[in-house]
Amino acid sequence: MKSSLIISTYNRPDALKICLESVRKLAVYPDEVIVGDDGSTEETRLLVDELRKDFPVPLKYIWQPDEGFRLAAIRNKCIAAASGEYIIQIDGDIFLHKMFVADHLRNARPGHFLKGGRVQLDDVRSRQICVSGKVPWIHPLSNGIEAKRPNALRFSNLAIYLAPRYRKNRDNVLGCNMSFYKKDLIAVNGYDEDFSGWGGEDLDISFRLRNAGIGKRYLKFCALTYHLWHKEASMDKSSGNHAIAYSHRETSAIRCIHGLDQYLADDK
């Protein structure tokens, strides 16, 4: 199954470098990597151009002007550009366990999307990693873990057993570690670009996928990721976004109005 790894980023080239270096170390590569840039300065493009020279798979770069937080739009543009039938989605401020892509592909099932977790690193350890430019080995006893220490454990066979059972009825999803069949994203018209500001767009797409009959599988103890610390964005608008997402769930909404199809028009 051909896969595309989509990485969203905004003005954090030091973290993106660590993220992309961790892709180099994967045991199983995606067929392509697409960096979706929500309006960063030139430094990010130059980094991608440099890494592209000897990257192990095609490394694409999609940029949009900085007009505020438009994560939904840049993700939709990357999904439209992806050649893979399976989309794995992360953020540019995490780095990956070497089995990350292998775990997503192993746990993929038709009619389902996957939701994974992350280990949260503290400020000091994150700065050290970014300055070094090297991808460290993180284990449950590593120094510098701020939260989610159990998420550093990997038990692949247990993960397969837990995937359809663990937190089966929990609403929460984490947009920095998810995967989908592209055809399912097309069916719900991708991310809703009417969401304003930070938060809620990943919850909304999970609700609309489930309204469309697409089940959720939870990746516990596999597809491990490690989050590089940053100050959290303002939550001022996210509560309104979450209300919209829950309204879509309650009304059984499937397709959003302003979504993925505007970038697929040339293929029709």
Side-chain angles (χ1 to χ4, degrees):
M1 182 167 59
K2 190 173 182 181
S3 63
S4 300
L5 177 64
I6 291 174
I7 306 173
S8 56
T9 190
Y10 175 70
N11 275 337
R12 202 169 175 200
D14 57 346
L16 180 62
K17 183 177 188 299
I18 298 297
C19 178
L20 289 170
E21 290 297 343
S22 74
V23 174
R24 289 187 192 271
K25 296 177 177 292
L26 291 171
V28 173
Y29 292 128
D31 291 277
E32 64 181 1
V33 173
I34 305 175
V35 174
D37 188 343
D38 187 19
S40 298
T41 58
E42 187 76 353
E43 188 177 357
T44 297
R45 183 189 66 78
L46 294 174
L47 170 68
V48 175
D49 285 346
E50 181 62 29
L51 294 179
R52 184 185 287 125
K53 295 175 182 177
D54 63 349
F55 209 69
V57 298
L59 178 57
K60 302 177 181 178
Y61 179 72
I62 297 175
W63 180 87
Q64 66 184 14
D66 187 354
E67 298 175 1
F69 187 91
R70 296 193 295 144
L71 180 59
I74 196 63
R75 281 180 173 165
N76 281 341
K77 291 171 183 177
C78 291
I79 293 164
S83 61
E85 64 186 286
Y86 198 71
I87 306 293
I88 304 171
Q89 171 187 291
I90 64 174
D91 288 345
D93 58 4
I94 68 171
F95 58 96
L96 311 176
H97 186 281
K98 68 177 182 178
M99 297 301 292
F100 176 81
V101 167
D103 285 338
H104 269 275
L105 296 178
R106 187 183 186 194
N107 284 276
R109 300 290 186 276
H112 294 81
F113 69 95
L114 302 180
K115 181 268 181 193
R118 64 185 181 181
V119 176
Q120 294 178 222
L121 302 178
D122 65 23
D123 185 15
V124 172
R125 187 68 194 277
S126 298
R127 289 176 185 271
Q128 291 171 344
I129 293 169
C130 289
V131 169
S132 74
K134 297 179 180 179
V135 180
W137 175 50
I138 302 294
H139 55 83
L141 300 180
S142 292
N143 293 327
I145 294 179
E146 183 175 72
K148 309 293 185 182
R149 193 174 290 270
N151 286 348
L153 292 167
R154 182 177 181 274
F155 300 106
S156 59
N157 290 332
L158 177 59
I160 290 175
Y161 173 80
L162 290 175
R165 299 172 174 87
Y166 185 75
R167 295 185 174 179
K168 184 177 180 180
N169 298 316
R170 289 280 294 270
D171 289 338
N172 67 309
V173 295
L174 201 62
C176 69
N177 187 352
M178 295 178 74
S179 64
F180 325 77
Y181 284 88
K182 184 174 180 178
K183 65 181 180 62
D184 295 335
L185 293 173
I186 293 172
V188 301
N189 203 20
Y191 283 89
D192 188 343
E193 297 185 22
D194 286 339
F195 275 61
S196 176
W198 178 74
E201 69 287 323
D202 44 8
L203 184 66
D204 176 68
I205 199 170
S206 74
F207 285 158
R208 289 187 288 107
L209 283 165
R210 297 178 83 171
N211 289 344
I214 307 300
K216 180 180 75 172
R217 289 168 61 85
Y218 198 114
L219 299 181
K220 185 68 175 178
F221 302 133
C222 73
L224 311 184
T225 68
Y226 314 96
H227 180 245
L228 295 162
W229 186 93
H230 60 82
K231 185 177 180 180
E232 290 293 337
S234 170
M235 294 286 285
D236 290 346
K237 295 182 179 179
S238 69
S239 59
N241 286 351
H242 279 72
I244 296 171
Y246 280 102
S247 73
H248 287 170
R249 183 185 68 173
E250 298 307 319
T251 59
S252 300
I254 293 175
R255 289 181 59 85
C256 60
I257 297 173
H258 301 116
L260 178 61
D261 58 358
Q262 62 190 302
Y263 310 113
L264 296 172
D266 290 342
D267 297 332
K268 294 178 181 179

